[in-house]
Amino acid sequence: MAGNRLQDNKKTYLEFLREKGRPVEGIVVLGFRFGTESGVHSFHFDLMNAKLGHTLFDRVRERAVVCILKENADKCREIAKSLGGDEFSVGLML
């Protein structure tokens, strides 16, 4: 989504997904802070390798937000933690 950044980010991720016609039932939004941008990149690649079926991945500098199925949220958290990620509460879009 980085290349398609919204001008008005006063939306939630679930609102954005609904507008794009994506299903949001069973989706949770998780945010993580990493010490470096390379930590965010590693997190993204590890998520893709884990094939957890995330619906959306967004990042700004050292922060990443993932929209993922609720049943895969704990595995997502494990991956982030293994890379030094600290979870934060996500309100509006980054």
Side-chain angles (χ1 to χ4, degrees):
M1 183 168 144
N4 188 21
R5 177 116 356 243
L6 294 175
Q7 294 298 323
D8 176 15
N9 65 347
K10 293 185 169 95
K11 298 179 186 188
T12 67
Y13 283 92
L14 295 180
E15 288 170 340
F16 176 77
L17 290 173
R18 272 190 211 99
E19 286 177 4
K20 298 298 178 186
R22 301 297 301 257
V24 295
E25 187 173 325
I27 299 290
V28 294
V29 181
L30 303 175
F32 302 97
R33 272 187 208 87
F34 295 86
T36 63
E37 287 187 50
S38 64
V40 175
H41 293 294
S42 295
F43 175 54
H44 190 205
F45 286 119
D46 286 1
L47 280 178
M48 289 189 296
N49 287 335
K51 296 181 173 40
L52 298 181
H54 59 283
T55 301
L56 182 129
F57 183 91
D58 192 17
R59 73 161 204 89
V60 174
R61 294 182 208 90
E62 295 88 18
R63 296 184 299 164
V65 173
V66 180
C67 297
I68 195 161
L69 289 171
K70 186 176 183 175
E71 65 247 23
N72 295 330
D74 288 340
K75 180 63 178 170
C76 181
R77 287 181 176 106
E78 286 175 26
I79 293 169
K81 187 176 180 180
S82 75
L83 297 166
D86 294 316
E87 190 169 356
F88 67 90
S89 179
V90 179
L92 300 176
M93 296 180 74
L94 292 177

